[in-house]
Amino acid sequence: GESVGLHLPTLSVQEGDNSIINCAYSNSASDYFIWYKQESGKGPQFIIDIRSNMDKRQGQRVTVLLNKTVKHLSLQIAATQPGDSAVYFCAENLFSGGYNKLIFGAGTRLAVHP
Amino acid sequence: DAGITQSPRHKVTETGTPVTLRCHQTENHRYMYWYRQDPGHGLRLIHYSYGVKDTDKGEVSDGYSVSRSKTEDFLLTLESATSSQTSVYFCAIGDLGQGDEQYFGPGTRLTVT
């Protein structure tokens, strides 16, 4: 399948543990953030999003936390499962050059061990 | 993949040849995007479309052109492929522009030799 990246930071966790994936974003004017999951050979899949007027948003087994003071975003996955193994990207929305654009991070690889 | 297909899924071509990648959606979304994904760079926007015959450049548009003659199809053309355009190309669709979620296709791996 398509190779996402050979030298991504990797988070290794045991099945059943909670995972926390961190992301530092670059622009304080960014108003919208998304987490994507990308499995090998597939396109990025939307997981959860959060607007800048929120600090926390919860989904099914996932929680996104936004700390605008330090420009930090995190994705928490509860009871991590082998199917959660993938590369996770954060993206920030910024209005620049006359249009809104999503700026993607390089990604973090999550490896779940039985 | 949210009703998005890309063709071809894999292509090997020689430097200097023209290449066209196709993105087809069945979701009737207004916005369509082309990204490239390279190790260490994440996803970078090449071009996007906000309606039929309405397109604009992204951050890495040099060497690429696009066309959208109908809502469901968005074509990416490399007029004269170069080795630096070896990459994985993803199409995405959305309703409200960049400031909202986008759904991605399965990708096309392009190798320029």
Side-chain angles (χ1 to χ4, degrees), chain B residues 49-68:
Chain B
S49 168
Y50 47 95
V52 174
K53 296 186 180 180
D54 292 323
T55 65
D56 209 343
K57 297 178 179 180
E59 61 179 308
V60 289
S61 59
D62 287 348
Y64 302 95
S65 62
V66 290
S67 65
R68 192 169 178 197

Side-chain angles (χ1 to χ4, degrees), chain B residues 53-100:
Chain B
K53 296 186 180 180
D54 292 323
T55 65
D56 209 343
K57 297 178 179 180
E59 61 179 308
V60 289
S61 59
D62 287 348
Y64 302 95
S65 62
V66 290
S67 65
R68 192 169 178 197
S69 60
K70 45 187 177 178
T71 300
E72 56 267 35
D73 289 326
F74 192 33
L75 304 181
L76 176 71
T77 297
L78 291 66
E79 300 291 346
S80 178
T82 66
S83 58
S84 65
Q85 294 175 311
T86 293
S87 187
V88 180
Y89 291 86
F90 288 99
C91 175
I93 61 176
D95 262 336
L96 299 177
Q98 286 273 345
D100 208 341

Side-chain angles (χ1 to χ4, degrees), chain A residues 1-6 32 34 36 38 41-44 46 49 51 89 93 99-102 104-106, chain B residues 9-10 35 37-40 42-43 45 48 57-59 88 90 98-102 104-107 109:
Chain A
E2 288 81 13
S3 171
V4 172
L6 298 178
Y32 174 68
I34 310 178
Y36 284 94
Q38 187 173 24
K42 297 184 178 180
F46 173 88
D49 59 1
R51 303 274 172 195
F89 296 93
N93 180 70
Y99 64 97
N100 282 306
K101 65 177 183 178
L102 281 177
F104 290 84
Chain B
R9 293 294 314 278
H10 302 272
Y35 291 89
Q37 186 175 43
D38 305 289
L43 286 152
L45 181 66
Y48 69 102
K57 297 178 179 180
E59 61 179 308
V88 180
F90 288 99
Q98 286 273 345
D100 208 341
E101 61 187 272
Q102 298 176 23
F104 285 81
R109 174 176 286 280

Side-chain angles (χ1 to χ4, degrees), chain A residues 60-78:
Chain A
Q60 186 177 11
R61 277 201 311 118
V62 294
T63 300
V64 56
L65 298 178
L66 176 63
N67 185 331
K68 295 180 286 292
T69 301
V70 295
K71 293 189 287 186
H72 183 267
L73 195 66
S74 68
L75 177 71
Q76 301 178 0
I77 304 173

Side-chain angles (χ1 to χ4, degrees), chain A residues 4-18:
Chain A
V4 172
L6 298 178
H7 303 292
L8 292 174
T10 299
L11 175 66
S12 294
V13 299
Q14 292 293 122
E15 181 178 357
D17 287 351
N18 296 332

